[in-house]
Amino acid sequence: MARKPRRKSAARPASRSSKSERERIIDVFMALLAEKPIERIGFAEIARAADVSLADLRATFPSTLAILAAQIKETDRTVLVGGDAEMAEEPPRERLFDVLMRRLEVLAPHKSAVRSLMRSAARNPGLAFALNSLAVRSQQWMLTAADIGASGPRGVVRAQGLALLFGSVLRSWINDEDPGLARTMAALDRALARGQRWSGFLDDLLRIPAAVCRVRPRRRRDAEDEDTVAV
């Protein structure tokens, strides 16, 4: 299938005065993250820039990671709203490609913040672990948007694999200055090809326990038969 050019959103960002306190806090946090590492962003700085009191900031978000989680949730929501009905008949890999490219479109205004966060995660294992947890939850929604199973143990493993896959694509995306994102699209295509091969291996692997369980009763019956013969 020939990949369709990415659509440009016609929506304009709301003015600051029309945004809620929660939205202002998230916007300020992402702007600060674009300028400095997450570990150097303080609550007082966020409250001052968002024009909220420390008490209101605390009531809304208990931590900077919670602000980031809210931003990720909003990104998920925007991607899910922007689904393309024409993709429903496409193969799973094409549907997932479309969903993840939509996600990159939504993230485009925050590219500098994403770059900053990736740098911090590379030198902070605790942060990397927390971000992975958020990413897995998010990618379960992306799989669901592509009509790919994301529930149960298998779905969690798929989401974990997709989180790692998408993270590798982000490394290409943050340095891709081409408006058409040709380099990013190529990286995503290659990553999904690898993921497709891994998914096939995973499906085979997860069928093994069921097969073992079916074999065991027969083995017990065989043993009982042997005992009968021995008697």
Side-chain angles (χ1 to χ4, degrees), residues 16 20-22 24-25 43-44 46-58 60:
R16 178 171 178 139
S20 69
E21 189 173 86
R22 179 184 179 88
R24 294 203 311 274
I25 292 169
F43 294 119
I46 296 170
R48 185 166 53 251
D51 194 24
V52 300
S53 69
L54 279 174
D56 287 340
L57 175 58
R58 177 63 181 88
T60 307

Side-chain angles (χ1 to χ4, degrees), residues 96-98 100-101 104 165-166 169 183-193:
L96 191 53
F97 181 96
D98 185 72
L100 295 180
M101 285 304 298
L104 291 175
L165 179 155
F166 191 66
V169 174
R183 178 178 167 187
T184 300
M185 292 174 72
L188 178 56
D189 205 36
R190 290 192 301 270
L192 288 176

Side-chain angles (χ1 to χ4, degrees), residues 18-149:
S18 67
K19 290 189 175 184
S20 69
E21 189 173 86
R22 179 184 179 88
E23 290 171 327
R24 294 203 311 274
I25 292 169
I26 295 172
D27 285 352
V28 162
F29 173 77
M30 294 303 290
L32 291 170
L33 186 58
E35 299 173 355
K36 63 178 69 177
I38 188 171
E39 57 268 25
R40 288 174 47 200
I41 300 175
F43 294 119
E45 186 177 22
I46 296 170
R48 185 166 53 251
D51 194 24
V52 300
S53 69
L54 279 174
D56 287 340
L57 175 58
R58 177 63 181 88
T60 307
F61 294 110
S63 66
T64 52
L65 199 61
I67 303 175
L68 180 62
Q71 169 62 32
I72 293 173
K73 183 178 180 180
E74 179 59 24
T75 298
D76 293 345
R77 190 196 68 80
T78 305
V79 174
L80 295 171
V81 166
D84 186 350
E86 295 179 4
M87 294 299 299
E89 302 303 319
E90 297 295 337
R93 180 171 156 185
E94 293 296 332
R95 296 197 302 268
L96 191 53
F97 181 96
D98 185 72
V99 168
L100 295 180
M101 285 304 298
R102 287 207 311 269
R103 188 172 191 86
L104 291 175
E105 284 182 356
V106 176
L107 287 174
H110 305 298
K111 182 178 280 192
S112 295
V114 173
R115 182 185 291 111
S116 171
L117 197 59
M118 291 176 72
R119 287 173 179 167
S120 292
R123 58 179 179 262
N124 185 336
L127 175 62
F129 182 81
L131 293 178
N132 179 72
S133 179
L134 294 174
V136 170
R137 186 186 311 159
S138 180
Q139 293 302 338
Q140 283 184 290
W141 286 103
M142 299 302 99
L143 285 166
T144 303
D147 198 21
I148 298 172

